[in-house]
Amino acid sequence: MEDVFIARLMTAGATTVTPETSVEEAAQVMLDQGIGSVVVVDEEGRLAGILTTTDFVRIVAERQPKDESTVAEFMTTDVVTASAQDVVTDVAEKLLEHRIHHIPVVTDDDHIIGIATTTDLTSYVTSLEEYE
């Protein structure tokens, strides 16, 4: 079986916010778009962090006032990433190893080109089973 690169499965053009975006606004973007994460980028469009539905559990648990909280306060900054040339199985291993569900796909200089999720991988595996 030939290697399949993550660029084939990722969602291109990940939804992004800035570190200064309010948590409330980020949540509304996620709800409106039906997505489980937003990628946080700096003013040059480089990866700064990621905010996921799991982070919102922490936000609620800590009872932070949503109108005063920014994405920067809660985003994960030590983000596990993939490159477009990474093999799907390697990306799947990263997701399992780090127990995460979203992995930004970045260029060599950390510009976002997409995002791969466990849903993307599940869809891919399902398509393989249907093909066989």
Side-chain angles (χ1 to χ4, degrees), residues 40-60:
V40 186
V41 295
D42 66 16
E43 56 278 347
E44 283 116 33
R46 287 191 186 91
L47 178 67
I50 189 168
L51 189 73
T52 69
T53 51
T54 303
D55 295 316
F56 280 99
V57 171
R58 190 173 79 243
I59 292 167
V60 170

Side-chain angles (χ1 to χ4, degrees), residues 48-127:
I50 189 168
L51 189 73
T52 69
T53 51
T54 303
D55 295 316
F56 280 99
V57 171
R58 190 173 79 243
I59 292 167
V60 170
E62 293 176 0
R63 298 180 183 198
Q64 295 293 324
K66 64 182 178 180
D67 59 339
E68 297 174 17
S69 300
T70 63
V71 167
E73 295 175 57
F74 296 99
M75 69 183 186
T76 300
T77 55
D78 187 19
V79 183
V80 177
T81 62
S83 77
Q85 295 76 32
D86 284 353
V87 177
V88 169
T89 53
D90 294 341
V91 174
E93 286 178 24
K94 282 184 183 181
L95 291 169
L96 288 170
E97 176 185 339
H98 296 281
R99 303 185 81 177
I100 57 176
H101 302 282
H102 308 85
I103 190 163
V105 182
V106 297
T107 62
D108 289 338
D109 61 351
D110 276 342
H111 281 90
I112 301 299
I113 57 175
I115 191 160
T117 67
T118 52
T119 302
D120 297 325
L121 294 173
T122 302
S123 294
Y124 174 69
V125 169
T126 302
S127 71

Side-chain angles (χ1 to χ4, degrees), residues 14-27:
T15 301
T16 62
V17 297
T18 67
E20 296 79 26
T21 302
S22 73
V23 170
E24 183 176 15
E25 184 180 343

